[in-house]
Amino acid sequence: MKPAPDLHSKPHKNPREHEFVSYKHICHYYAPGSHYFGYKVLRIPSRAYRITWYRHVYYCYNGIYYAPYGSYYVVCRPPFETVLEYELAKALDMRRCHFGYYYSQPRVYDAVYRNNKYIDEQYETIARNNEIIARQNELIAQQNALIESNRSYGADGRLLASEAYKSAQTNGLFQSYANAEADYFYQDGVFYLLENGQYKVIVPPAGALVEYIPEDYDVITLKDGTPAYKVDDTVYKVTVSEGIAYFEVMGQLYD
């Protein structure tokens, strides 16, 4: 993983350009060490079981997830809504998320993800769903005046949220939203919500500030010319908050 100040200091090579690795060297997604996200695997363990999640196929064995990609597999992050027990997770190197802003409605990320992951299969249905989501996002943006943050963002947070929403709309990004009253955590590109004593894998919430992004990022340019970094479907930009350089979650960009 790379910290923000070092990201521009040396050439980046996407892990998918590396050679194949053996599944025997890969750590659990929730364990410290190299997760090899984005790396290619010629074969997976014979006892790996198949998971179908919203029409997307994964294989899992011993806490490691693989996605089929042509004639091989790619080591991937766990599907959203995967649950990790608190007792197992509390000793891990998770970082509590800082936020530049909040929205007043929690867990909207579920609707955003479920509607938009069908784009490649249901164009007409998605077009209708996107209209619904756009209206939903507009209502949420209008509720910025109702934001109640217990972390002292106040009017500045409302302004940042409004600007982030406009930027997401311009660049074709779908945003998920965080709740100021909830606890969010991050590790190696995976975001968690601590809920009912369990860590739940979630769509990365807009406004989350992290000091590192994983090695399997792509450098992209958004529609408005903004340079950004893409990890899976999540788009980050470099920002400064209280004098500290962070990567800020802008939203989701579905291919």
Side-chain angles (χ1 to χ4, degrees):
M1 299 171 69
K2 298 294 179 186
D6 297 335
L7 190 56
H8 303 282
S9 63
K10 56 184 178 181
H12 167 66
K13 185 176 183 181
N14 192 292
R16 291 183 180 85
E17 299 174 6
H18 289 216
E19 299 198 2
F20 288 87
V21 297
S22 169
Y23 65 81
K24 298 178 182 179
H25 300 304
I26 303 166
C27 292
H28 298 70
Y29 74 89
Y30 48 78
S34 180
H35 301 110
Y36 288 91
F37 291 139
Y39 276 75
K40 299 178 290 188
V41 177
L42 275 174
R43 64 186 182 90
I44 58 176
S46 59
R47 289 184 288 177
Y49 57 91
R50 177 186 172 115
I51 300 171
T52 301
W53 193 86
Y54 294 105
R55 302 192 183 186
H56 290 265
V57 175
Y58 299 87
Y59 291 88
C60 180
Y61 178 73
N62 198 26
I64 300 169
Y65 290 82
Y66 308 86
Y69 193 88
S71 60
Y72 55 88
Y73 302 85
V74 174
V75 183
C76 64
R77 292 174 177 82
F80 301 132
E81 301 179 0
T82 300
V83 172
L84 183 61
E85 294 293 337
Y86 177 79
E87 289 300 319
L88 181 61
K90 68 180 182 180
L92 303 179
D93 184 28
M94 287 189 187
R95 309 287 180 90
R96 184 182 294 272
C97 284
H98 301 284
F99 283 85
Y101 54 86
Y102 292 94
Y103 286 88
S104 59
Q105 293 188 4
R107 293 186 288 278
V108 180
Y109 51 78
D110 287 330
V112 173
Y113 185 80
R114 291 172 184 174
N115 279 287
N116 288 284
K117 266 300 184 182
Y118 293 113
I119 285 179
D120 57 342
E121 300 170 353
Q122 298 182 350
Y123 291 100
E124 293 182 0
T125 301
I126 278 300
R128 293 192 294 271
N129 287 343
N130 286 346
E131 291 178 2
I132 295 172
I133 292 172
R135 290 196 297 271
Q136 178 188 60
N137 287 350
E138 188 68 37
L139 289 173
I140 292 171
Q142 292 172 2
Q143 292 177 355
N144 287 338
L146 302 177
I147 293 176
E148 295 179 359
S149 171
N150 61 355
R151 298 173 191 175
S152 302
Y153 288 104
D156 291 338
R158 290 194 291 272
L159 178 61
L160 289 172
S162 178
E163 292 176 347
Y165 171 77
K166 292 176 182 177
S167 176
Q169 293 295 295
T170 298
N171 291 295
L173 304 178
F174 294 93
Q175 289 187 317
S176 57
Y177 306 115
N179 176 15
E181 303 302 322
D183 291 318
Y184 297 85
F185 294 85
Y186 169 84
Q187 184 204 32
D188 202 5
V190 184
F191 286 78
Y192 303 86
L193 172 64
L194 180 55
E195 187 177 57
N196 298 324
Q198 296 178 319
Y199 287 91
K200 181 180 179 181
V201 178
I202 61 170
V203 176
L209 304 175
V210 298
E211 297 181 9
Y212 299 85
I213 59 172
E215 293 284 359
D216 58 321
Y217 66 86
D218 288 313
V219 180
I220 64 172
T221 301
L222 299 176
K223 292 179 181 179
D224 64 359
T226 300
Y229 307 91
K230 187 169 181 281
V231 179
D232 296 333
D233 294 325
T234 304
V235 176
Y236 301 80
K237 70 175 182 179
V238 175
T239 189
V240 176
S241 176
E242 299 181 350
I244 301 175
Y246 290 103
F247 292 96
E248 176 188 323
V249 175
M250 298 181 67
Q252 309 299 302
L253 181 62
Y254 298 116
D255 296 329

